[in-house]
């Protein structure tokens, strides 16, 4: 069944072990990757993480939505949404 997702502490420990480095260096590397991806996607760009997928920003147009509590139609302003396309290699490793 489903297990709990890996926490940041667990991810840093696993990265440190995989890299053969200490947890401080692994944590700094993870924070640096996060900062680069955040900055690029916030500026409208896209980042491809090899073997994982592509993170990008998609603009959504202004549209009409419905309030589920009242059924009232309201106009929602245009906004941006972060999306991710999963790499085929990752899909294949999970399914096969």
């Amino acid at each position: 069944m489903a297990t709990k997702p890996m926490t940041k502490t667990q991810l840093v420990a696993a990265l440190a072990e995989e890299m053969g480095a200490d947890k401080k260096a692994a944590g700094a590397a993870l924070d640096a990757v996060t900062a680069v991806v955040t900055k690029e996607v916030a500026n409208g760009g896209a980042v491809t993480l090899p073997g994982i997928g592509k993170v990008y920003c998609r603009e959504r147009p202004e549209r009409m939505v419905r309030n589920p509590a009242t059924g009232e139609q309201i106009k929602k302003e245009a906004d941006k949404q972060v999306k991710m396309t999963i790499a085929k290699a990752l899909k294949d490793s999970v399914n096969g």
Side-chain angles (χ1 to χ4, degrees):
M1 291 305 265
T3 59
K4 290 185 178 180
M6 185 181 272
T7 64
K8 182 178 178 181
T9 305
Q10 293 168 331
L11 180 57
V12 167
L15 279 173
E17 184 178 325
E18 192 72 27
M19 292 170 45
D22 61 347
K23 290 181 182 177
K24 187 174 183 180
L30 180 61
D31 290 341
V33 169
T34 302
V36 168
V37 170
T38 302
K39 187 187 315 180
E40 184 64 27
V41 173
N43 289 330
V47 177
T48 300
L49 301 170
I52 297 174
K54 179 180 177 183
V55 182
Y56 58 97
C57 184
R58 182 176 79 96
E59 293 193 25
R60 292 168 46 164
E62 184 177 273
R63 62 199 182 280
M64 295 300 289
V65 295
R66 187 178 65 84
N67 181 341
T70 64
E72 176 189 7
Q73 292 279 336
I74 56 175
K75 184 187 289 187
K76 184 160 194 235
E77 299 297 321
D79 62 352
K80 295 179 181 179
Q81 185 176 31
V82 177
K83 296 289 225 171
M84 181 166 186
T85 303
I86 305 301
K88 185 175 183 328
L90 181 58
K91 287 180 191 177
D92 291 344
S93 68
V94 169
N95 290 322

